[in-house]
Amino acid sequence: MQKTGQSTINDVARIAGVSKKTVSRVINRSPLLNEDTRRRVEEVIAELGYIPNPQARALALRRNFLIGLVHDNPNAQTVMNVQQGMLEALHGTEFEMVVRPLDRGSATMLDDLRHFLERQRLFGVLLMPPISENDSVARLCDDIGCRYVRMGSAMLDDTDHMVASNDREAVHAAVSFLIEQGHRRIGLVAGPHGFRSARERRQGFEDALAAAGIALPRSMIADGNYTFDSGLVAAERLLDVVPRPTAIFSSNDEMAAGVIHAARQRGLDIPRDLSIVGFDDTPIAAHVWPPLTTVRWPIASMARSAALKLIAGGVEQEPAVEEPSLFLSTLIRRGSVAVPRE
Amino acid sequence: MQKTGQSTINDVARIAGVSKKTVSRVINRSPLLNEDTRRRVEEVIAELGYIPNPQARALALRRNFLIGLVHDNPNAQTVMNVQQGMLEALHGTEFEMVVRPLDRGSATMLDDLRHFLERQRLFGVLLMPPISENDSVARLCDDIGCRYVRMGSAMLDDTDHMVASNDREAVHAAVSFLIEQGHRRIGLVAGPHGFRSARERRQGFEDALAAAGIALPRSMIADGNYTFDSGLVAAERLLDVVPRPTAIFSSNDEMAAGVIHAARQRGLDIPRDLSIVGFDDTPIAAHVWPPLTTVRWPIASMARSAALKLIAGGVEQEPAVEEPSLFLSTLIRRGSVAVPRE
DNA sequence: TTGTAAGCGTTATCAT
DNA sequence: ATGATAACGCTTACAA
């Protein structure tokens, strides 16, 4: 009587001549099962093309086979890379990805998240920065009993609940490269307060200058908020300083694109008059002129690992010891850096 | 005995002194209900903070409260805009968005989709181009009994199942603008075969030239596939033609960025030596140098309307007569167009 | 207008 | 190692 070829556990049980529970055991890979029985049931399952109904499972298990992606990220490319990595991990599994943007500024943010998690009874959530940097969010997940993994630019949690990049060191290396080229007056376009990544990158910048014994006047630091426009404005301030910086490190690519515009509006040639280094390696980096030297962090891989940590062991609670938690960023050298003219 | 404050329909029924079914009727806004009873039940619901369990509803209704986003789109920004529009429509409803990328090239694409829709028993799906242009996909949804709305660059379906932009006319207008500026040798970087949008845009291009009585030699058309690199290659071919085109219309912004690179590599000044018009108005358009004149289509609004069509009337089958189906694109004038020199 | 009983398709409990 | 029976929380007949 199945209308759409949707056979149920009952069909399988009847045809295989066993009880529903036995079929259920096969599905859930219960260890205490006769090999013969298992094989027989599996044959029937294959024959019928039977697929367990996720809705029924969700009801009985009080847990949905959904992985949430919680974010409040202004950068489209970053979010897409994360989605791509997650979906790679989820592909071929019984899990689906449901996306949930949240307003981190809102007073009800935590309540919104709680409602979302409780109502949907998510299997787990992947927390993207900057929301992931909020400890009360992690605590909330713990309280509710929802698995979570946080993405971030520093290890904020144990390896079961965190995948992190090494922004500080990566920026240190990038700025050291600038110094090796001969630059001494290097400006920083910093990211927004409240972003851990902004802090990490700024510290990496300061580390590099300190390691080279270069003083860092306050005038060489301008604040931005990760947008193109803010990068443009920050660059204008930096380029007003006399003597002008010969290089600028921008805490992300989008602001770096703004820096390029600002420089070009003043008739400055890049990289002859001004070297620029960005961070992220979004497509924009390769597509501006000149192509931007920048730091690439393996965001899709991080998201993939995060998702794998989440679903490791399926319904059982095995920890995912295999997945890495720390990811290394690398400097991508393109055309926006040269030795200073003077 | 509710552990986490999760009260059920039984709790509500007991406290309100009615049967489950009555509570269910309140939840589902059944018309045949005593006003007093309804109010009383609603009070208890509010008091308890009761929220119907979506998993149980899904099982009983054989339909999940999930809206799928099905896409195989290379452009991150486009996908994100669609997601944003969808989520706007879904916000505050009982629906969640689940994202499902599909490989349109794969032989199993249709089967993959069928499995996805049947297993998850989605409430509905939003089909993005170019997958939305595939009629068998729409037919599949019909067969399965899954609501769908297609997004595209031309009306491929009735207004209940389609939201479309007017690419052809928009490009016609954009290229006419070029002609008004005095351009006569205008090159086209076409989009990939198999994309309806590519065809529409190309036709708009041809329309404009025809309307102005300008001949279109084959050499003024170069194929691309919507990527930066393909735009660069196509531009090189176009710029090799003697006499050189004074303007190029690129079927999307990313390829237009490639055109800019190609021009710059030859030492051409934009817009003095070459005017360029793109399509999409992705962030890249405003961030390249010079800022790109381009066609903006209201993608988020389209996705929002599409989602609203999908969920209109909730579980009941009311058609969404209110939501528009045709969306107009507009030309955004920036710095990449000037009058030709000669 | 409201209630009762029987599902929806799975898993958990507790036997055997 | 397997099975009968009762959940899981809601909806849909069908009565009353």
Side-chain angles (χ1 to χ4, degrees):
Chain A
M1 109 138 228
Q2 72 242 36
K3 224 179 73 183
T4 52
Q6 305 273 33
S7 38
T8 75
I9 200 172
N10 290 304
D11 301 326
V12 177
R14 184 167 30 77
I15 297 178
V18 296
S19 75
K20 303 161 67 161
K21 184 61 211 181
T22 300
V23 178
S24 172
R25 287 198 178 95
V26 173
I27 296 170
N28 295 289
R29 296 193 193 70
S30 162
L32 10 85
L33 248 184
N34 185 316
E35 236 345 281
D36 289 346
T37 319
R38 142 165 300 140
R39 201 167 11 245
R40 187 151 36 92
V41 172
E42 276 172 348
E43 273 166 21
V44 177
I45 288 180
E47 200 173 308
L48 256 46
Y50 163 71
I51 297 172
N53 178 313
Q55 285 76 43
R57 300 234 284 162
L59 180 56
L61 286 169
R62 281 176 213 74
R63 163 168 291 188
N64 227 323
F65 289 88
L66 298 175
I67 303 291
L69 169 59
V70 167
H71 72 88
D72 177 12
N73 197 298
N75 189 265
Q77 190 61 49
T78 305
V79 177
M80 281 308 292
N81 282 340
V82 168
Q83 291 193 4
Q84 187 206 311
M86 281 182 74
L87 287 164
E88 235 168 68
L90 266 33
H91 188 85
T93 72
E94 57 204 331
F95 295 96
E96 299 289 339
M97 178 183 79
V98 13
V99 181
R100 184 68 173 210
L102 238 47
D103 178 4
R104 71 177 179 286
S106 155
T108 61
M109 192 263 271
L110 236 38
D111 279 338
D112 291 348
L113 181 57
R114 146 167 280 132
H115 278 74
F116 173 56
L117 298 180
E118 283 184 341
R119 280 197 46 163
Q120 299 303 133
R121 293 178 186 276
L122 290 191
F123 188 89
V125 276
L126 176 32
L127 273 13
M128 271 187 72
I131 287 186
S132 60
E133 294 156 9
N134 185 333
D135 286 327
S136 30
V137 169
R139 245 177 290 127
L140 173 64
C141 294
D142 265 336
D143 288 350
I144 293 182
C146 177
R147 295 179 181 201
Y148 69 88
V149 173
R150 308 204 245 171
M151 292 186 65
S153 39
M155 287 297 294
L156 271 25
D157 210 324
D158 60 274
T159 55
D160 280 353
H161 298 94
M162 188 84 216
V163 294
S165 53
N166 64 336
D167 288 22
R168 184 171 177 171
E169 293 159 46
V171 172
H172 186 147
V175 175
S176 295
F177 169 66
L178 245 18
I179 295 170
E180 283 161 25
Q181 299 296 304
H183 293 278
R184 288 297 173 273
R185 293 196 308 283
I186 307 176
L188 166 71
V189 179
H193 302 292
F195 277 64
R196 179 63 182 246
S197 59
R199 211 157 81 221
E200 295 292 323
R201 293 170 197 182
R202 177 174 180 151
Q203 287 185 334
F205 180 84
E206 292 174 356
D207 290 348
L209 293 202
I214 300 175
L216 174 57
R218 184 66 191 78
S219 61
M220 280 294 100
I221 299 179
D223 284 332
N225 60 18
Y226 280 165
T227 65
F228 177 89
D229 288 332
S230 74
L232 199 151
V233 171
E236 279 169 353
R237 211 158 48 244
L238 256 19
L239 295 174
D240 276 341
V241 176
V242 187
R244 221 173 45 208
T246 61
I248 290 180
F249 169 74
S250 166
S251 297
N252 77 352
D253 286 348
E254 201 165 325
M255 292 195 298
V259 174
I260 291 178
H261 266 231
R264 182 121 43 208
Q265 280 170 347
R266 300 185 174 219
L268 263 32
D269 181 87
I270 301 167
R272 275 205 322 159
D273 302 321
L274 181 71
S275 290
I276 302 179
V277 174
F279 197 108
D280 278 348
D281 196 30
T282 53
I284 205 175
H287 298 170
V288 291
W289 186 272
L292 190 65
T293 293
T294 188
V295 177
R296 173 189 296 167
W297 54 299
I299 177 163
S301 303
M302 286 174 65
R304 188 172 160 278
S305 281
L308 287 175
K309 277 176 200 277
L310 242 19
I311 66 177
V315 181
E316 288 92 62
Q317 298 287 346
E318 302 167 17
V321 285
E322 310 297 0
E323 284 306 318
S325 293
L326 191 59
F327 290 76
L328 270 29
S329 301
T330 52
L331 184 67
I332 307 292
R333 299 186 190 189
R334 285 195 272 248
S336 64
V337 172
V339 299
R341 284 220 277 184
E342 2 175 334
Chain B
M1 111 134 227
Q2 73 243 37
K3 228 179 70 183
T4 52
Q6 304 274 35
S7 38
T8 76
I9 199 174
N10 290 305
D11 301 326
V12 178
R14 185 168 29 79
I15 297 179
V18 297
S19 75
K20 302 162 66 161
K21 182 58 216 182
T22 300
V23 179
S24 172
R25 288 199 177 93
V26 173
I27 296 171
N28 295 291
R29 297 192 193 69
S30 161
L32 11 85
L33 249 183
N34 184 316
E35 233 350 278
D36 289 345
T37 320
R38 143 165 299 141
R39 200 165 14 244
R40 187 150 37 93
V41 172
E42 275 173 348
E43 272 167 22
V44 177
I45 288 180
E47 201 173 308
L48 256 45
Y50 163 71
I51 298 172
N53 179 315
Q55 285 76 45
R57 299 235 282 163
L59 180 56
L61 287 168
R62 283 174 211 73
R63 163 168 290 188
N64 225 325
F65 289 88
L66 298 176
I67 303 291
L69 169 60
V70 167
H71 74 89
D72 177 11
N73 197 297
N75 190 266
Q77 190 62 49
T78 305
V79 177
M80 280 308 294
N81 283 340
V82 169
Q83 291 192 4
Q84 188 207 310
M86 281 182 74
L87 288 164
E88 234 168 69
L90 267 32
H91 187 86
T93 73
E94 56 203 332
F95 295 96
E96 298 289 339
M97 177 184 80
V98 13
V99 181
R100 183 69 171 207
L102 238 46
D103 179 3
R104 71 176 179 286
S106 155
T108 60
M109 192 263 270
L110 235 39
D111 279 337
D112 291 348
L113 181 57
R114 150 168 276 132
H115 278 75
F116 173 56
L117 297 180
E118 282 184 340
R119 281 196 46 165
Q120 298 305 334
R121 294 177 184 276
L122 290 191
F123 188 90
V125 276
L126 175 32
L127 272 13
M128 270 187 73
I131 286 186
S132 60
E133 294 155 10
N134 185 332
D135 286 328
S136 29
V137 169
R139 244 177 291 126
L140 173 64
C141 293
D142 265 337
D143 289 350
I144 293 182
C146 178
R147 296 181 180 199
Y148 69 88
V149 173
R150 308 204 245 172
M151 291 186 65
S153 40
M155 287 298 293
L156 271 26
D157 211 325
D158 60 275
T159 55
D160 279 352
H161 298 95
M162 189 84 214
V163 294
S165 53
N166 64 337
D167 288 23
R168 184 171 177 171
E169 294 159 46
V171 172
H172 186 148
V175 175
S176 295
F177 170 65
L178 245 18
I179 295 170
E180 284 162 24
Q181 299 296 305
H183 293 278
R184 288 297 173 272
R185 293 196 308 283
I186 307 176
L188 166 69
V189 179
H193 302 293
F195 277 64
R196 179 63 183 246
S197 59
R199 210 156 83 222
E200 295 292 322
R201 293 169 198 182
R202 178 176 179 148
Q203 287 184 334
F205 180 84
E206 292 173 357
D207 291 349
L209 292 203
I214 300 175
L216 175 57
R218 184 67 190 78
S219 61
M220 280 294 101
I221 300 179
D223 284 332
N225 61 17
Y226 280 165
T227 65
F228 177 89
D229 289 332
S230 74
L232 199 151
V233 170
E236 278 168 353
R237 212 159 47 247
L238 255 20
L239 295 174
D240 275 341
V241 176
V242 187
R244 221 172 46 207
T246 62
I248 290 181
F249 169 73
S250 166
S251 297
N252 78 351
D253 286 348
E254 202 165 325
M255 293 194 298
V259 174
I260 292 178
H261 267 230
R264 183 123 40 209
Q265 280 171 349
R266 301 187 172 217
L268 263 33
D269 181 87
I270 301 166
R272 274 206 322 160
D273 302 321
L274 181 71
S275 290
I276 302 179
V277 174
F279 197 108
D280 278 348
D281 195 31
T282 53
I284 205 175
H287 297 171
V288 291
W289 186 272
L292 190 66
T293 293
T294 188
V295 177
R296 172 188 296 167
W297 54 300
I299 177 164
S301 303
M302 287 174 66
R304 187 171 160 280
S305 281
L308 287 175
K309 278 177 199 280
L310 242 18
I311 65 176
V315 181
E316 288 93 63
Q317 297 289 348
E318 303 166 16
V321 285
E322 310 297 359
E323 284 305 318
S325 292
L326 191 59
F327 290 77
L328 270 29
S329 301
T330 52
L331 184 67
I332 307 292
R333 301 186 189 189
R334 284 196 270 249
S336 64
V337 172
V339 299
R341 280 220 279 182
E342 4 176 332

